[in-house]
Amino acid sequence: MKTIDYYFWLNSDWAYLGADRLEALAARHQARIRYLPVDLPDVYSRTGGVLLGQRAPERQAYRVAELARWCRKLGIFVNPKPAFMCPDAALASRIVIAADRAGLPVAALYKAILKAEWCDEQDISSPATLHAIVRQQGLDADAWLAAAEGPEAKQIYRQNTDAAVAAGVFGSPSYVYRGELFWGQDRLDMLEEAVAAPV
């Protein structure tokens, strides 16, 4: 089966914008998505990236303008400056990892976490917030928050981050197909061309 390695940060507004289109792309081509949440600040520290709050005002302003363009184009709402912007995403990431390891479909779960931050003014670093989100997905919130604190989820989170850097990833979302890296939801068309090509 064709497999897309999907490296993303649970604080990534751009991952939220690309989420549904990635799912549709995979469905069209019977491709499997490997969901690989990463510690993006660590990726940045190892690949020359700069956290949003440390970027020049011009770069920050352009991000807001570009988000507005993409929101109009896609018909998706994103608040460019939510009340709780880019808090610690480690627990949220490990919840997704634990659920994925158990074989649960995690697309709706990770999208709900992103929506909570970028649309609903919620703090996704808060265990109480995450408990409510997981419960709303019809899952046992106590069990999955406990699993997220276990050694396996923590180890996989570290492994995902290391694997991302090894694959050349430097931002979120990033997609790797057959060793080729595609950075950004604005590269999904190019990713689809690669996935559609004969193997």
Side-chain angles (χ1 to χ4, degrees):
M1 178 178 282
K2 297 179 177 181
T3 300
I4 300 164
D5 286 345
Y6 173 34
Y7 296 99
F8 62 102
W9 191 32
L10 259 297
N11 279 316
S12 176
D13 40 4
W14 302 107
Y16 181 64
L17 287 176
D20 288 339
R21 284 150 54 229
L22 175 62
E23 296 297 321
L25 181 164
R28 282 193 295 272
H29 300 283
Q30 295 79 52
R32 177 174 72 106
I33 300 170
R34 290 206 314 146
Y35 298 91
L36 303 165
V38 301
D39 180 352
L40 194 66
D42 186 42
V43 171
Y44 277 0
S45 73
R46 297 157 68 182
T47 61
V50 178
L51 292 169
L52 179 61
Q54 300 169 6
R55 295 175 193 168
E58 295 82 2
R59 290 179 179 270
Q60 295 192 42
Y62 188 79
R63 168 189 164 269
V64 172
E66 187 76 345
L67 269 175
R69 292 184 190 122
W70 275 101
C71 286
R72 286 194 300 270
K73 180 179 177 66
L74 299 173
I76 298 173
F77 170 75
V78 166
N79 179 355
K81 297 181 180 180
F84 303 96
M85 190 159 94
C86 299
D88 185 348
L91 180 58
S93 299
R94 297 196 309 265
I95 290 170
V96 172
I97 288 167
D100 187 48
R101 289 289 288 178
L104 297 178
V106 296
L109 174 60
Y110 94 81
K111 287 188 288 184
I113 295 170
L114 289 170
K115 180 178 182 294
E117 177 175 348
W118 295 104
C119 305
D120 301 333
E121 303 290 345
Q122 297 181 37
D123 178 4
I124 68 156
S125 69
S126 162
T129 296
L130 292 168
H131 190 281
I133 293 169
V134 174
R135 189 179 66 249
Q136 288 161 8
Q137 294 298 306
L139 301 173
D140 184 336
D142 290 336
W144 292 114
L145 264 72
E149 296 292 5
E152 182 181 40
K154 292 179 179 179
Q155 180 182 12
I156 293 171
Y157 187 41
R158 169 51 46 204
Q159 290 172 346
N160 287 355
T161 302
D162 292 342
V165 173
V169 169
F170 53 88
S172 171
S174 289
Y175 320 95
V176 177
Y177 179 69
R178 295 178 63 82
E180 185 175 1
L181 171 65
F182 300 83
W183 171 49
Q185 59 87 35
D186 54 344
R187 296 296 182 268
L188 281 167
D189 288 347
M190 293 181 179
L191 171 64
E192 182 157 21
E193 290 171 2
V195 173
V199 176

